[in-house]
Amino acid sequence: RWKNEALLNYDGKLFWPKEMGSYEHLPLLSGPDKSEWTLISEYQQLQSYLSEVDLAIVSLELGHQDEWFLEFNNGIRAILGKQDILRKMKRFIRVYKTDLVNQIDKVARVDLRYNKAVAVAWK
């Protein structure tokens, strides 16, 4: 879904169905105009990494200052920052598997904007 107003195919092209209600199960992607291809491409890559930890992206946003934000199907939100998004996702997966998976219900947000660290905001 693109901004809850259209759908986005795997080639980054927008199309408008007659009714959006039956597509609410699809992830929500949003960003500035003309960023559709960037978002679908990043979504596909990020989601492929997450398959090893059984997480799914329910929303992915490219902010107006080129910062990436996402939310997983378990309710955790992540801030990825502006650069090295895929490297940061690999770091998140490492930390998730070793430190977070057994206490996931206590995690509110993970901040991955740092070069070599992860900050966790607890509920």
Side-chain angles (χ1 to χ4, degrees), residues 43-109:
Y43 168 79
Q44 291 169 344
Q45 290 181 52
L46 293 170
Q47 189 58 57
S48 71
Y49 288 161
L50 291 168
S51 62
E52 76 176 83
V53 289
D54 200 29
L55 286 175
I57 297 170
V58 296
S59 71
L60 179 63
E61 176 187 355
L62 177 59
H64 291 290
Q65 296 186 357
D66 293 332
E67 283 204 313
W68 291 88
F69 305 90
L70 61 85
E71 184 176 345
F72 300 106
N73 57 331
N74 61 5
I76 293 177
R77 298 180 54 88
I79 304 167
L80 297 171
K82 294 181 181 186
Q83 301 171 0
D84 300 321
I85 304 305
L86 299 177
R87 182 178 55 79
K88 290 175 181 178
M89 183 56 64
K90 288 179 185 178
R91 184 178 340 129
F92 168 79
I93 291 169
R94 244 184 352 263
V95 170
Y96 181 84
K97 290 185 341 187
T98 59
D99 299 313
L100 299 179
V101 71
N102 292 327
Q103 49 190 345
I104 206 65
D105 57 328
K106 298 175 185 173
V107 177
R109 184 178 62 253

Side-chain angles (χ1 to χ4, degrees), residues 6-43:
L7 295 178
L8 187 61
N9 71 17
Y10 282 103
D11 295 322
K13 304 276 192 249
L14 290 173
F15 62 99
W16 291 263
K18 292 181 181 180
E19 189 263 317
M20 287 291 292
S22 58
Y23 299 101
E24 299 223 351
H25 66 284
L26 296 174
L28 178 63
L29 306 179
S30 60
D33 291 341
K34 309 265 191 241
S35 66
E36 297 89 355
W37 170 248
T38 301
L39 268 125
I40 195 69
S41 176
E42 288 295 332
Y43 168 79

